[in-house]
Amino acid sequence: GFDGGDQLGALFRLNRAGNREEFLSALSLHPHPAQNVVYADAAGNIGVVMAGRVPVRKGGATLLPVPGDTGEWEWTGYVPFEENPAVWNPGKGVVAAANFPTAGPSFPRYLSRIYEPSDRGKRILEVLAGGEARGEKHSVASFERLQSDVRAPGAAKAVALALRAARSRSRDSEDLAEAERILSSWDLSVTAESRGALLYEVYYERLMENVFRDALGPAL
């Protein structure tokens, strides 16, 4: 951000872009913060572009702090905007951006190693692809439902593990038998009234604690 840029100019031109070329030209002026911008036009073209400057790191990529007084880890410039991650008109006919990795492991530049879990993105793509597969056209109403969707497909593996454990001891414990009944009927929707969601969240928290406490100690 200290190297300047033209955020307001980028937004001004973005709001007046009439095609993909003008859209990209406007985004190229956006310096920071880096973010994904979704594109669609009247001709049916869609895409996602990462806007913002990506530093070229002399010392390579690392998640941990590095010495700042040796010059070995300086930034030597920025990746050209044309090389920023982008997807245009994918074969599946849908694009999504929801805090998951912006580019795949083959992308040659370092972007980050810290992302949110990919559950949201997977769920969005699942819903969009499901509509496409059924030959349905999405609408304002369908996107409203998607915006308020609370299904957590990423919970399925942990629920399967919990059910296996509960079933192995359900004859010995009424609590485990009830837990099995609750989780086996849960539709993976995390609603305020869901007993399955409540049980899953507590189970998952205890699972993490039981797995890592011995190795990390109570402080961590």
Side-chain angles (χ1 to χ4, degrees), residues 17-215:
N19 52 49
R20 187 165 82 175
E21 289 70 28
E22 293 176 2
F23 169 80
L24 290 171
S25 177
L27 279 189
S28 69
L29 301 176
H30 176 79
H32 66 90
Q35 55 192 286
N36 296 316
V37 182
V38 179
Y39 173 89
D41 63 29
N45 298 299
I46 59 174
V48 178
V49 182
M50 197 205 87
R53 292 174 176 157
V54 178
V56 177
R57 303 163 189 269
K58 182 178 178 181
T62 176
L63 184 63
L64 300 177
V66 295
D69 60 347
T70 66
E72 298 177 66
W73 300 90
E74 297 296 319
W75 293 1
T76 59
Y78 295 106
V79 175
F81 173 74
E82 295 75 18
E83 296 180 21
N84 279 13
V87 175
W88 296 105
N89 294 325
K92 294 182 178 180
V94 296
V95 295
N99 305 111
F100 51 78
T102 306
S106 62
F107 187 71
R109 306 289 192 175
Y110 174 74
L111 297 173
S112 176
R113 290 203 179 103
I114 302 176
Y115 294 94
E116 292 297 313
S118 58
D119 294 20
R120 285 179 59 224
K122 288 179 179 177
R123 177 60 179 157
I124 291 170
L125 292 172
E126 177 184 71
V127 171
L128 294 179
E132 295 288 328
R134 294 189 297 271
E136 299 172 357
K137 284 191 174 182
H138 290 285
S139 64
V140 172
S142 71
F143 278 113
E144 285 179 348
R145 289 194 298 272
L146 180 55
Q147 288 288 341
S148 58
D149 186 275
V150 292
R151 189 172 169 83
K157 288 185 178 180
V159 169
L161 180 64
L163 284 172
R164 192 170 68 188
R167 284 168 181 157
S168 69
R169 297 179 53 200
S170 60
R171 293 182 179 179
D172 306 324
S173 167
E174 291 185 7
D175 287 341
L176 287 176
E178 183 180 10
E180 179 192 351
R181 288 193 294 272
I182 293 172
L183 287 178
S184 61
S185 61
W186 183 41
D187 65 355
L188 304 184
S189 292
V190 188
T191 61
E193 301 81 14
S194 173
R195 299 175 72 202
L198 172 63
L199 185 56
Y200 163 73
E201 294 291 349
V202 173
Y203 162 75
Y204 195 78
E205 182 178 315
R206 295 292 187 270
L207 176 65
M208 293 298 101
E209 184 176 324
N210 291 340
V211 168
F212 293 110
R213 177 182 284 273
D214 289 345

